[in-house]
Amino acid sequence: MATIRFQALRETLNRKPITVVEPSMRRSELYCINVFNSTKAKHYMPKEAYNAVLDAINQGARIDRKMADQVASGMKAWAISRGATHYTHWFQPLTGTTAEKHDAFFEPTGEGTAIDKFDGSQLVQQEPDASSFPSGGIRNTFEARGYTAWDPTSPAFVMGTTLCIPTVFVSYTGEALDNKTPLLRALQSIDHAATDVARYFDKNVNKVICTLGWEQEYFLVDAALAVSRPDLTMAGRLLMGHQAAKGQQLEDNYFGSIPERALAFMRELEIECIQLGIPVKTRHNEVAPNQFEVAPLFEEANLAVDHNSLLMDVMAKVASHHHFKVLLHEKPVAGINGSGKHNNWSLSTDTGVNLLAPGKTPKSNLMFLTFFICAIKAVHDYADLLRASIASAGNDHRLGANEAPPAIISVFIGRQLTEVLNELEHVTTGNLSPEEKTELKLNVVGKIPEILLDNTDRNRTSPFAFTGNKFEFRAVGSSANCAKPMMVLNTIMAETLRRFKQDVDALIDGQHLKKDDAIFNVLREYIKASKKIRFEGDGYSEDWAKEAESRGLSNFKTTPEALKIQVAQSSIDLFEAHQVMNKVEIEARHEIELEEYTKRIQIEGRILGDIATNHVIPTAIAYQNTLIQNVRGLKEIFEADYLPHAAQQIEMIKGISSRIAHIKTFVDEMIEERKKANKIEHAEEKAEAYCNNVKPYFDKIKYHCDKLELMVDDELWPLTKTRELLFTR
Ligand code: ADP
Ligand code: MG
């Protein structure tokens, strides 16, 4: 009888927080202790090798074999000093997770002797058995092999006893098979485009980097309770379960005091992260019970993306020490908030200027406004691509569910900047009069420094909000790899900046406008052209969905719908123009994403069918039998007069029968739809069939199962209940 559930509850109730031993060193001393960063490289490598690595990082220069050997030798010596016995090329295949295959340094040399070996060739390139990673047909079409190649821009690190070398993963014909490669290409593109534009204002700028500060939301549930739920174990979310009577309605969790066991987990996580160079700084309770957030300081985007992938990995490991399971799913439990991963995004010059932060002088503010307005224009022009970049089966539950930004992409900038843009919208066409320019510089552009950081209003309902010195892309899902949204965002920004420069130069060369006048003219046009993407109101409201529609903004509610734009000719042209992805890569990714969607829904459908049929129905029947026994007994005692005593029980018996009948019918129908969908070859049609014909059964089945949960004796119910999962600590 319901043993797993009660065993799990008993286990959970007996848990004590694990004592986390704070290392003897302070966190500031521990920072990067397991990272082969430039300080260590300098110490462990000859000067020429160190300089070669710097050139590779800063100018993308190639590292020759001799240098690579020297780098490898230094890296090995350091790694062994940190206790490493193995090394691995660490990469991010399109499965969305990270991949590693460990090889020992140890190498026998014959006659019972051995050495520790790690040379340049092992550092620079590896050939993992790649056939089991998704490739969307790339490797079948071209070449059967893929290889990993060292990314010197992200430092190697030691995790446990393994030296991990961040790498890209590409096919032998050069197509990207991972998340990092297109991101690196997009970062290169934004560097060129943004540097060109920044040089209108400051000739000293030679490089622009993208900065990313992510905020990771997650749930912690007890490992024993999680194991008791097949849906949580395999799909990462509850596919059924009556809503707990108390959820988040009292709003007593957000920033509340952190439960002890969770705090112990966080402390160990932080210690691990800091040693790995992930600069985690913030921790707090989130809105839902058992929901938390961890956030680092921002870093260069490629490194930040690696660090987020690493964090997700480390979280799972640390959680197991504390008998927790980390839920990174976007919507683990219906009826309470799901989890997101805000991507705080900005651009920064090698002169140390944040291009999305208002400056101190009118000149630097004109630079800020240029980048700010171009960002809005980029989101306006490519809103659908941005939407596609965050589409996933998990995120479909969250977007537009009154807790996360809607699936409609819009930009929030706050009242003061709206006023500035309104003024700029009216500047004269052509050359500005000296008076107008003075007025603009003094009273419009010049006033911006007054909008200090703390002054920007916060609109939590916007998917893309300006927050004083950066944009916050809030619609990214909690389990997502940030590489994709960052790749898209930087590519569309690069394209917009490239066009901006073209437009400004055309006015300078063609119409002999002064530079500032040309810039004001183009900004005016961009403000007008992108106006409809700006929205300052409540993004969660019904009215916004209606208004957005009348503005002609898209509202793609499902992943198959949202992904379509990726393979449009305009998207292929864009990514090819910036050499971020070619047509083959785009189409392969598109197919992989559709397949992943299909598989996730397929798996959820199977699990739901199984638990409805094997857990819920038999339990309902067992309880129904008890009721039937009871009615029989009443009949025996009261004979002909039994009905007044048994009427309620008889109603319950009927109710249970009807729920069972519904569940059985819906499960059978769902299976039929799955069979039909499985016959479809075309990836997009198949995903659509799963989305439109299979998935709608989930809610119907859940509804009746949840009703039974309320009717059946609690002692018999086999599945850990929502309230237990969220409130047992
Ligand atoms: P919240 O959104 O929770 O109110 P903050 O506004 O304080 O939090 O900042 C959130 C995140 O923004 C932090 O992770 C921080 O590292 C990041 N951030 C701050 N400045 C930048 C920047 N220039 N580029 C990218 N991210 C940034
Ligand atoms: Mg935030």
Side-chain angles (χ1 to χ4, degrees), residues 22 50 55 57 72 80 87 206 226 238 263 326 528 544 641 644 647 672-673 682:
E22 280 284 338
Y50 175 73
D55 287 348
I57 294 171
I80 290 174
Y87 67 92
N206 286 311
L238 296 188
L263 190 59
V326 180
K528 283 195 211 160
W544 169 230
D641 212 17
E672 277 314 304
E673 287 301 337
H682 191 260

Side-chain angles (χ1 to χ4, degrees), residues 210-215 254-255 279 281-282 284 286 293-299 342-348 354-357 453 458 460 467 469-472 474:
C210 167
T211 50
L212 164 65
W214 41 262
E215 301 165 60
Y254 191 58
F255 284 14
K281 211 167 152 60
T282 308
H284 62 79
E286 260 302 327
E293 180 182 298
V294 52
L297 281 182
F298 68 91
E299 298 177 286
H342 300 173
N343 278 205
N344 295 277
W345 167 81
S346 193
L347 298 170
S348 172
N354 176 353
L355 291 167
L356 288 172
L453 277 184
R458 292 289 172 117
R460 302 269 170 201
T467 51
N469 59 354
K470 62 196 178 285
F471 278 100
E472 183 170 359
R474 308 180 66 250

Side-chain angles (χ1 to χ4, degrees), residues 8-118:
L9 277 168
R10 217 166 291 129
E11 243 179 85
T12 306
L13 288 169
N14 285 333
R15 297 233 202 267
K16 300 266 173 297
I18 309 274
T19 316
V20 179
V21 188
E22 280 284 338
S24 55
M25 284 197 274
R26 298 166 52 80
R27 292 187 183 200
S28 50
E29 294 166 328
L30 283 176
Y31 182 52
C32 282
I33 199 165
N34 286 333
V35 184
F36 192 65
N37 56 15
S38 57
T39 322
K40 275 118 190 174
K42 220 172 187 163
H43 184 73
Y44 279 90
M45 273 160 29
K47 201 167 173 142
E48 48 172 357
Y50 175 73
N51 288 336
V53 174
L54 280 193
D55 287 348
I57 294 171
N58 296 329
Q59 280 112 42
R62 280 187 70 90
I63 294 180
D64 68 29
R65 179 58 207 265
K66 190 171 140 252
M67 284 306 143
D69 279 339
Q70 293 189 11
V71 176
S73 156
M75 221 182 245
K76 180 185 74 181
W78 168 78
I80 290 174
S81 81
R82 294 303 307 157
T85 55
H86 287 65
Y87 67 92
T88 182
H89 275 198
W90 182 83
F91 59 103
Q92 298 163 53
L94 295 170
T95 47
T97 51
T98 56
E100 46 194 273
K101 175 188 143 241
H102 301 182
D103 282 301
F105 291 129
F106 162 81
E107 192 155 296
T109 48
E111 293 168 18
T113 56
I115 53 162
D116 289 316
K117 183 165 176 273
F118 179 63

Side-chain angles (χ1 to χ4, degrees), residues 94-96 131-137 139-140 231 234-237 239 329 392-394 396-397 559-560 563 588-608 670 674 677-678 680-692 694-695 698:
L94 295 170
T95 47
S131 54
S132 303
F133 293 109
S135 68
R139 263 177 281 112
N140 302 340
D231 43 1
M234 288 185 287
R237 74 177 182 107
L239 294 167
H329 194 282
S392 70
D396 280 359
H397 294 283
T559 295
L563 290 179
R589 259 148 228 270
H590 186 65
E591 196 163 312
I592 290 168
E593 280 159 13
L594 287 167
E595 271 173 15
E596 165 159 358
Y597 177 84
T598 296
K599 284 180 194 157
R600 289 208 183 270
I601 305 294
Q602 187 179 53
I603 291 168
E604 289 190 348
R606 285 183 185 151
I607 301 169
L608 186 59
M670 175 177 72
R674 253 178 17 226
N678 289 344
I680 302 172
E681 294 276 338
H682 191 260
E684 188 172 294
E685 284 167 25
K686 192 169 183 164
E688 279 166 357
Y690 264 95
C691 177
N692 302 323
V694 177
K695 203 171 137 241
F698 293 6

